[in-house]
Amino acid sequence: IAGITQAPTSQILAAGRRMTLRCTQDMRHNAMYWYRQDLGLGLRLIHYSNTAGTTGKGEVPDGYSVSRANTDDFPLTLASAVPSQTSVYFCASSLGDTQYFGPGTRLTVL
Amino acid sequence: DAKTTQPNSMESNEEEPVHLPCNHSTISGTDYIHWYRQLPSQGPEYVIHGLTSNVNNRMASLAIAEDRKSSTLILHRATLRDAAVYYCILSRPSSGTYKYIFGTGTRLKVLA
């Protein structure tokens, strides 16, 4: 069982470009989440989804969009990347109150 | 939002017990107390969680104060592989899911 996979592992992106970070889980968890982690800080919630077909905004949603077409996939899109979106991005899914995290995507926007 | 306060860093000798404290004075009755750890260049890893009673699992023990305003993660015998950032998190039911609010965590250094 893979759990949660994220792609790409890392990416360098020019400012203004569009980028989609992929997240897939094979645990059939209903809820999924996207976080960002900046250097030396804890994780901050960007968007979440309680179940397929629904999404919600977290603490820092501006500049990001998500979709949840099915249970397994929860992509995060940066429509026009800016340098302040340089961060490590973690996807998570949850069964009840416990979340399980993916390995992360390191994104650098120049 | 519920917040937690942890020391920035702690040190322990290998094979000795480690007690990692966390204050959460604004905890509400429905908030769970979760502990995760994050190894370098990895995602957070679940360690343990509880609501009111002390909890034990193969990784650690969680001691929760009677008033629930603080908790302590106990690693019974620290190893070099336990060196990580440990996050104490309150999870609160919200909009059909549980929202986690991360603090800055405690960086645990284990000395050989």
Side-chain angles (χ1 to χ4, degrees):
Chain A
I1 296 177
I4 296 180
T5 57
Q6 293 185 237
T9 302
S10 65
Q11 182 76 43
I12 298 174
L13 188 67
R17 298 295 296 270
R18 180 183 179 92
M19 177 73 191
T20 295
L21 308 184
R22 300 185 297 279
C23 175
T24 299
Q25 54 111 352
D26 62 3
M27 299 176 283
R28 309 300 294 171
H29 289 170
N30 281 332
M32 296 187 74
Y33 312 81
W34 273 105
Y35 293 86
R36 61 177 286 172
Q37 184 175 32
D38 299 310
L39 192 63
L41 301 179
L43 281 66
R44 292 184 293 169
L45 182 65
I46 304 171
H47 285 287
Y48 66 93
S49 168
N50 292 339
T51 188
T54 70
T55 62
K57 293 182 179 180
E59 182 184 357
V60 287
D62 293 343
Y64 305 95
S65 63
V66 291
S67 61
R68 187 87 183 278
N70 57 61
T71 296
D72 298 343
D73 301 299
F74 190 43
L76 176 74
T77 297
L78 290 67
S80 179
V82 296
S84 62
Q85 292 178 310
T86 294
S87 189
V88 181
Y89 291 85
F90 290 100
C91 178
S93 68
S94 69
L95 179 66
D97 61 295
T98 300
Q99 295 184 19
Y100 300 90
F101 290 82
T105 293
R106 182 175 298 275
L107 180 67
T108 303
V109 182
L110 301 177
Chain B
D1 286 321
K3 294 189 182 298
T4 62
T5 303
Q6 300 175 253
N8 287 334
S9 63
M10 292 183 64
E11 284 189 359
S12 173
N13 293 319
E14 198 176 12
E15 299 194 2
E16 290 187 355
V18 182
H19 292 231
L20 298 167
C22 181
N23 287 318
H24 29 79
S25 59
T26 60
I27 192 170
S28 71
T30 55
D31 289 347
Y32 281 84
I33 301 162
H34 280 77
W35 283 83
Y36 283 74
R37 70 181 186 182
Q38 188 174 24
L39 301 171
S41 300
Q42 294 189 25
E45 175 189 24
Y46 169 79
V47 177
I48 200 167
H49 80 290
L51 184 63
T52 56
S53 303
N54 295 343
V55 184
N56 299 295
N57 65 22
R58 65 176 180 81
M59 290 182 71
S61 295
L62 175 60
I64 301 173
E66 193 169 338
D67 63 5
R68 302 209 324 128
K69 293 182 184 293
S70 65
S71 62
T72 302
L73 177 70
I74 302 165
L75 306 179
H76 296 286
R77 288 183 62 195
T79 70
L80 296 177
R81 290 177 295 178
D82 292 323
V85 178
Y86 286 79
Y87 293 100
C88 168
I89 300 162
L90 299 184
S91 67
R92 174 169 292 176
S94 173
S95 303
T97 185
Y98 285 83
K99 299 286 178 60
Y100 281 14
I101 302 295
F102 281 79
T104 52
T106 296
R107 182 174 299 277
L108 176 65
K109 185 176 182 180
V110 180
L111 306 175

